[in-house]
């Protein structure tokens, strides 16, 4: 996995390092892709990744507005499995290129059919959301989620912060990372220039979430730049 060792510990970026990665079974047979993440915040602290969702209905949830609702309705009507597979993160083995579930595909499809609990926080609820600062000013959209692995427990990932601003595309391609691609030079310079405007928003600053809106308790100018944290 493309992880960094930054000021806040070993981390991964959800969109860059997890989402859309292949999910394969013990025989290296394709099961699907990581289409969404489900978080558990029941302990009142930073939410932790509880499971990955695999399937078109989960992918549909990442589209905004009427398009997303239409996509999800069509998917549920035409697919044999109207719900995505809900696979607990602790059973998944993460590699740089894929997520491995150590059992045959048929068992995965039969066993992990539990629907997501109503009200559970999902990646699709956050990425793309407009962030509003303490002055009620819109300051940008969530482009990625900064997840931190607990020391000694690679199966545990907690939601440490949001990446907000113009770096979303470059960040997903790795250009904002200190060990990211060296070229092509024009792209590298473009994405790193855009990345200077991105902000790092610790989860503790999030005061409320609503459909496609996240409220934070700081002014935009007081938020750390992503480039400072990535160093």
């Amino acid at each position: 996995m493309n992880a960094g060792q930054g000021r806040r510990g070993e981390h991964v970026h959800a969109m860059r390092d997890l989402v859309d990665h292949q999910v394969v079974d013990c025989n290296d047979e394709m099961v699907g892709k990581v289409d969404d993440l489900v978080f558990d915040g029941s302990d009142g602290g930073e939410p932790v990744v509880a499971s990955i969702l695999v399937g078109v209905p989960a992918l549909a949830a990442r589209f905004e507005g009427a398009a997303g609702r239409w996509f999800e309705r069509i998917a549920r009507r035409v697919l044999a499995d109207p719900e995505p597979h809900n696979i607990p993160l602790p059973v998944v083995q993460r590699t740089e290129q894929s997520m491995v579930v150590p059992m045959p595909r048929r068992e995965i499809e039969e066993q992990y059919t539990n629907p997501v609990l109503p009200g559970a926080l999902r990646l699709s609820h956050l990425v793309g959301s407009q962030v509003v600062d303490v002055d009620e000013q819109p300051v940008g959209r969530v482009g990625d989620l900064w997840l931190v692995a607990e020391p000694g427990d690679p199966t545990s990932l907690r939601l440490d912060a949001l990446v907000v601003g113009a770096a979303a595309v470059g960040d997903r391609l790795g250009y904002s990372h200190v060990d990211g691609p060296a070229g092509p030079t024009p792209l590298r310079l473009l994405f790193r220039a855009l990345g200077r405007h991105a902000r790092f928003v610790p989860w503790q600053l999030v005061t409320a979430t609503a459909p496609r809106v996240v409220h934070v308790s700081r002014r935009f100018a007081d938020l750390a730049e992503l480039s400072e944290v990535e160093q």
Side-chain angles (χ1 to χ4, degrees):
M1 174 180 303
N2 189 4
Q5 190 70 30
R7 220 165 45 183
R8 301 180 69 89
E10 184 182 1
H11 69 275
V12 298
H13 292 210
M15 293 298 296
R16 185 184 69 198
D17 302 329
L18 299 177
V19 172
D20 293 331
H21 280 217
Q22 291 185 349
V23 179
V24 299
D25 72 356
C26 61
N27 299 312
D28 204 32
E29 183 178 353
M30 180 81 165
V31 177
K33 292 187 176 182
V34 179
D35 293 307
D36 208 344
L37 303 178
V38 181
F39 293 88
D40 179 7
S42 58
D43 64 358
E46 293 173 331
V48 297
V49 180
S51 61
I52 63 173
L53 298 182
V54 179
V56 174
L59 175 63
R62 288 161 51 190
F63 291 82
E64 292 189 54
R69 293 191 295 272
W70 176 84
F71 189 3
E72 186 170 8
R73 284 197 301 269
I74 295 299
R76 291 183 183 278
R77 288 180 182 177
V78 303
L79 294 176
D81 296 317
E83 296 290 341
H85 298 303
N86 188 359
I87 305 174
L89 186 66
V91 306
V92 178
Q93 300 170 359
R94 295 182 284 128
T95 72
E96 290 187 2
Q97 301 299 328
S98 63
M99 310 283 274
V100 181
V101 183
M103 62 178 64
R105 175 177 176 174
R106 177 173 294 181
E107 291 185 20
I108 296 171
E109 295 175 344
E110 292 175 350
Q111 183 169 340
Y112 297 117
T113 58
N114 297 328
V116 180
L117 295 176
L121 181 66
R122 292 166 57 167
L123 172 141
S124 56
H125 297 162
L126 297 172
V127 172
S129 294
Q130 176 67 64
V131 177
V132 178
D133 73 3
V134 69
D135 294 326
E136 294 298 317
Q137 296 298 311
V139 298
R141 293 187 178 272
V142 178
D144 212 336
L145 309 182
W146 177 291
L147 309 176
V148 173
E150 298 294 349
D153 186 4
T155 66
S156 178
L157 291 172
R158 58 184 171 83
L159 176 52
D160 192 58
L162 309 178
V163 177
V164 177
V169 175
D171 180 63
R172 293 177 197 177
L173 295 175
Y175 283 93
S176 66
H177 197 278
V178 291
D179 297 321
T185 298
L187 285 180
R188 177 173 55 82
L189 295 177
L190 172 62
F191 286 131
R192 291 190 177 177
L194 291 173
R196 288 199 294 269
H197 302 289
R199 290 294 190 272
F200 181 87
V201 183
W203 182 255
Q204 294 92 331
L205 300 182
V206 175
T207 57
T209 61
R212 297 296 174 179
V213 180
V214 175
H215 293 267
V216 299
S217 60
R218 292 275 179 86
R219 293 182 176 88
F220 181 73
D222 296 331
L223 297 171
E225 295 183 356
L226 177 63
S227 58
E228 295 175 352
V229 182
E230 287 273 26
Q231 292 176 356

